Amino acid sequence: MITNRFKRLLDMITFIQSNINISIYDIMNELDISRSTAFRYLKILDNCGIPYTFHPTHGYRISSSYLMPVANLNALEAVALARLLKNIKLDTHDTSNVTASKAIQKILASLPQAVREFYQHHDDKHVTILDGTFDAPDYLSERLSLLLDSINRQVPVVCVCDSQKNEQRILRLHTYHLIANKSKWFVLTKVFPESEVKVIEVDRLSKLVQTDNHFNVPPIDIKQFWVNAWRVKPEGQMYHVELWVKDLAPKQFTTTQWHASQQLGTDKTGRYILSYDVDGLEEIAQWIW
């Protein structure tokens, strides 16, 4: 009896860690236990010092301080595992799938909250991952969840934004899209009072509050927007850059547009020169590397 209870407690910890928005009914269904037993198990976790919290919107969560990170597992790999887990659960003919699904769930359980948020929404058309390496603390995950909800429901957000000059402004955002790029999260949004579409680093936003109004999304080509943007964090200093292109490469550069200012020409010696007007030296280094 004690052994069986211990196993169920471990299964409950894994289940909570590997998912989001877990309710008491989700725990009951997953472990096939009654409501009173589920609350009793939660009480045992509390007595054992396992840090879990409950939020009316986000459900039960195990504190990130209790998680064991998985080495060399990035967000895209987590998505692949999540899809594999879903497919395994659909195939009920193979009895070994039950064991396999538990093994995958244990791996997913140890991932940071931001990664779990992403693979839960990996089919969401409002999220774009420009690379597979990113992480985020719990406070940033809360902001991402609120912004994603605002995007899906087309609800404006009022927030405080820290500028690059360490100044704070109160903004109203009509959020359109979330992007993860090089361990950073950004939001494509229409900003008021300027009434301009901009890209803002989510880490600069705080005190986010949804309003009771709604907005309409204008026709924006997200893919084309990112091709023209190249980078999403300008430094405020423009540079004109010229790169010497090898003789065999011009055909590729004439068919691929990396930047809105991209131009291909020749110098006095006849060498091909690829030129850009870019915002910041970091942008140049990022492209070259």
Side-chain angles (χ1 to χ4, degrees), residues 177-188:
H177 205 81
L178 284 174
I179 307 97
N181 182 31
K182 297 298 179 185
S183 301
K184 295 286 187 178
W185 279 95
F186 301 86
V187 60
L188 174 63

Side-chain angles (χ1 to χ4, degrees), residues 207-268:
K207 301 180 181 179
L208 283 70
V209 178
Q210 293 179 338
T211 71
D212 295 330
N213 310 105
H214 289 82
F215 63 86
N216 295 321
V217 180
I220 296 179
D221 188 341
I222 300 296
K223 292 183 178 180
Q224 185 62 37
F225 182 89
W226 288 113
V227 168
N228 292 337
W230 191 7
R231 285 296 305 283
V232 292
K233 193 176 181 181
E235 298 174 43
Q237 177 64 49
M238 297 300 299
Y239 295 88
H240 180 74
V241 182
E242 293 184 350
L243 302 176
W244 171 41
V245 182
K246 291 185 177 181
D247 293 340
L248 298 178
K251 183 177 181 181
Q252 179 184 1
F253 286 112
T254 56
T255 58
T256 305
Q257 186 79 11
W258 281 282
H259 197 268
S261 66
Q262 176 176 316
Q263 291 185 351
L264 182 66
T266 58
D267 63 6
K268 295 180 180 180

Side-chain angles (χ1 to χ4, degrees), residues 110-147:
S110 61
L111 298 177
Q113 179 65 26
V115 179
R116 300 202 303 277
E117 288 276 1
F118 172 63
Y119 76 67
Q120 291 285 344
H121 299 287
H122 66 273
D123 291 327
D124 198 304
K125 62 181 180 180
H126 302 304
V127 178
T128 298
I129 301 298
L130 300 183
D131 62 65
T133 306
F134 74 96
D135 196 357
D138 286 342
Y139 77 89
L140 185 55
S141 297
E142 298 283 347
R143 297 174 191 177
L144 293 173
S145 297
L146 185 142
L147 289 171

Side-chain angles (χ1 to χ4, degrees), residues 196-211:
E196 297 178 356
V197 177
K198 297 182 178 180
V199 174
I200 302 177
E201 186 176 340
V202 177
D203 204 33
R204 292 171 50 195
L205 306 178
S206 61
K207 301 180 181 179
L208 283 70
V209 178
Q210 293 179 338
T211 71

Side-chain angles (χ1 to χ4, degrees), residues 30-250:
E30 179 68 15
L31 302 180
D32 193 21
I33 56 178
S34 66
R35 180 184 174 92
S36 59
T37 302
F39 279 118
R40 186 165 65 251
Y41 283 1
L42 288 170
K43 180 64 175 177
I44 294 175
L45 294 185
D46 184 59
N47 292 338
C48 293
I50 297 175
Y52 78 90
T53 59
F54 175 79
H55 189 276
T57 302
H58 305 295
Y60 289 95
R61 286 182 176 177
I62 302 292
S63 174
S64 58
S65 62
Y66 190 75
L67 299 178
M68 295 293 291
V70 176
N72 302 321
L73 187 65
N74 60 39
L76 298 183
E77 291 169 339
V79 171
L81 279 178
R83 288 175 174 170
L84 180 60
L85 177 61
K86 182 178 180 181
N87 292 335
I88 286 177
K89 287 185 175 181
L90 292 176
D91 185 4
T92 58
H93 299 290
D94 190 346
T95 56
S96 64
N97 284 349
V98 176
T99 304
S101 64
K102 287 184 178 297
I104 295 175
Q105 205 165 41
K106 287 180 180 179
I107 297 175
L108 296 176
S110 61
L111 298 177
Q113 179 65 26
V115 179
R116 300 202 303 277
E117 288 276 1
F118 172 63
Y119 76 67
Q120 291 285 344
H121 299 287
H122 66 273
D123 291 327
D124 198 304
K125 62 181 180 180
H126 302 304
V127 178
T128 298
I129 301 298
L130 300 183
D131 62 65
T133 306
F134 74 96
D135 196 357
D138 286 342
Y139 77 89
L140 185 55
S141 297
E142 298 283 347
R143 297 174 191 177
L144 293 173
S145 297
L146 185 142
L147 289 171
L148 184 59
D149 181 66
S150 300
I151 292 171
N152 288 322
R153 298 197 296 119
Q154 297 181 22
V155 177
V157 172
V158 176
C159 64
V160 175
C161 180
D162 295 326
S163 69
Q164 295 179 345
K165 299 180 180 179
N166 295 324
E167 299 174 349
Q168 290 189 336
R169 299 178 57 208
I170 298 178
L171 301 178
R172 177 187 174 97
L173 307 179
H174 291 185
T175 52
Y176 303 146
H177 205 81
L178 284 174
I179 307 97
N181 182 31
K182 297 298 179 185
S183 301
K184 295 286 187 178
W185 279 95
F186 301 86
V187 60
L188 174 63
T189 178
K190 191 170 186 178
V191 181
F192 295 90
E194 292 92 339
S195 189
E196 297 178 356
V197 177
K198 297 182 178 180
V199 174
I200 302 177
E201 186 176 340
V202 177
D203 204 33
R204 292 171 50 195
L205 306 178
S206 61
K207 301 180 181 179
L208 283 70
V209 178
Q210 293 179 338
T211 71
D212 295 330
N213 310 105
H214 289 82
F215 63 86
N216 295 321
V217 180
I220 296 179
D221 188 341
I222 300 296
K223 292 183 178 180
Q224 185 62 37
F225 182 89
W226 288 113
V227 168
N228 292 337
W230 191 7
R231 285 296 305 283
V232 292
K233 193 176 181 181
E235 298 174 43
Q237 177 64 49
M238 297 300 299
Y239 295 88
H240 180 74
V241 182
E242 293 184 350
L243 302 176
W244 171 41
V245 182
K246 291 185 177 181
D247 293 340
L248 298 178

